[in-house]
Amino acid sequence: QKEVEQNSGPLSVPEGAIASLNCTYSDRGSQSFFWYRQYSGKSPELIMFIYSNGDKEDGRFTAQLNKASQYVSLLIRDSQPSDSATYLCAVENYGGSQGNLIFGKGTKLSVKP
Amino acid sequence: GAGVSQSPSNKVTEKGKDVELRCDPISGHTALYWYRQSLGQGLEFLIYFQGNSAPDKSGLPSDRFSAERTGGSVSTLTIQRTQQEDSAVYLCASSSLGARETQYFGPGTRLLVL
């Protein structure tokens, strides 16, 4: 059974701090990795995707991928209260059923003013 | 064109009734997914359509649930003889093969079974 694991949180950080969200996955064949943000009562929206080992930066967001350790993370710099949401990690379901992405259960982030 | 659309946005029904939920994917997207999300829970995969291939129904929780996709575009998820435990948000997503499986979600249908 392919799995994507995330700490459910809540992760609480003060405004302006760096929030670090982590995700591990079981399928070594996965090549594509995604971070979605889901505000309460809303549907998930794509923040970033990463395909290669290393860091990928987009504004205040940095995705980090380490395929050898089967680990992907999302850093949010200068966290704002508007970043408070649940963050879902999704991993390509290489050669599997149940669609092309496996989603983690999400980490709830709370940014305190 | 526009993003994924779903209708209705909210549905209240009585236990035992049948409901139909509709999803209109992004134009040109060949893959379409249905998920269910109960309050405070993660995404539960239900069914996946890819082009003209047979759908992957491995996530459907019971034979009361079925889905079809007509003409490779619009999809309908049908729940027969609804139960209270079917109450959840039903999310549809679509993706394009050329986009490394990035899924784009619709706003969801909030189903409440009384």
Side-chain angles (χ1 to χ4, degrees):
Chain A
Q1 180 75 9
K2 298 176 182 178
E3 294 182 342
V4 176
E5 300 285 345
Q6 296 182 255
N7 188 322
S8 62
L11 173 66
S12 184
V13 300
E15 183 174 357
I18 296 175
S20 178
L21 305 163
N22 305 314
C23 172
T24 59
Y25 59 95
S26 63
D27 185 3
R28 283 196 172 276
S30 296
Q31 299 295 318
S32 306
F33 306 86
F34 304 83
W35 283 100
Y36 285 81
R37 177 177 62 199
Q38 186 174 25
Y39 291 114
S40 181
K42 301 294 184 181
S43 59
E45 57 179 328
L46 181 69
I47 299 177
M48 291 189 71
F49 55 84
I50 185 168
Y51 306 142
S52 303
N53 276 328
D55 295 359
K56 180 182 178 182
E57 187 174 320
D58 184 1
R60 296 187 295 110
F61 298 95
T62 299
Q64 299 176 316
L65 175 61
N66 184 326
K67 292 183 182 179
S69 300
Q70 295 174 243
Y71 176 93
V72 58
S73 65
L74 180 69
L75 301 179
I76 307 175
R77 290 182 300 280
D78 187 24
S79 295
Q80 301 297 310
S82 59
D83 295 326
S84 298
T86 296
Y87 290 80
L88 304 174
C89 172
V91 174
E92 178 194 2
N93 184 17
Y94 180 74
S97 64
Q98 298 206 354
N100 289 350
L101 291 182
I102 300 292
F103 285 85
K105 294 189 182 302
T107 297
K108 186 173 183 178
L109 173 66
S110 177
V111 181
K112 303 296 186 183
Chain B
V4 178
S5 61
Q6 293 186 245
S7 62
S9 54
N10 292 280
K11 177 71 176 179
V12 181
T13 190
E14 294 179 348
K15 177 182 174 180
K17 301 285 190 182
D18 297 352
V19 296
E20 283 190 353
L21 312 179
R22 175 188 168 106
C23 173
D24 203 338
I26 292 172
S27 178
H29 279 192
T30 57
L32 186 149
Y33 310 79
W34 283 100
Y35 295 90
R36 179 168 71 175
Q37 190 173 36
S38 301
L39 189 63
Q41 301 299 308
L43 294 174
E44 177 187 5
F45 167 82
L46 296 178
I47 188 169
Y48 159 53
F49 296 88
Q50 175 58 274
N52 294 322
S53 302
D56 177 352
K57 304 179 182 180
S58 59
L60 294 179
S62 78
D63 58 8
R64 297 186 294 106
F65 288 72
S66 63
E68 62 178 21
R69 188 179 185 192
T70 54
S73 181
V74 172
S75 177
T76 301
L77 176 69
T78 301
I79 309 174
Q80 295 179 310
R81 305 180 303 282
T82 52
Q83 303 295 312
Q84 289 183 329
E85 61 263 30
D86 299 333
S87 297
V89 176
Y90 289 81
L91 290 163
C92 176
S94 69
S95 70
S96 170
L97 278 180
R100 298 286 291 264
E101 319 305 346
T102 302
Q103 293 184 21
Y104 297 91
F105 284 83
T109 293
R110 285 156 184 76
L111 175 66
L112 177 61
V113 182
L114 300 177

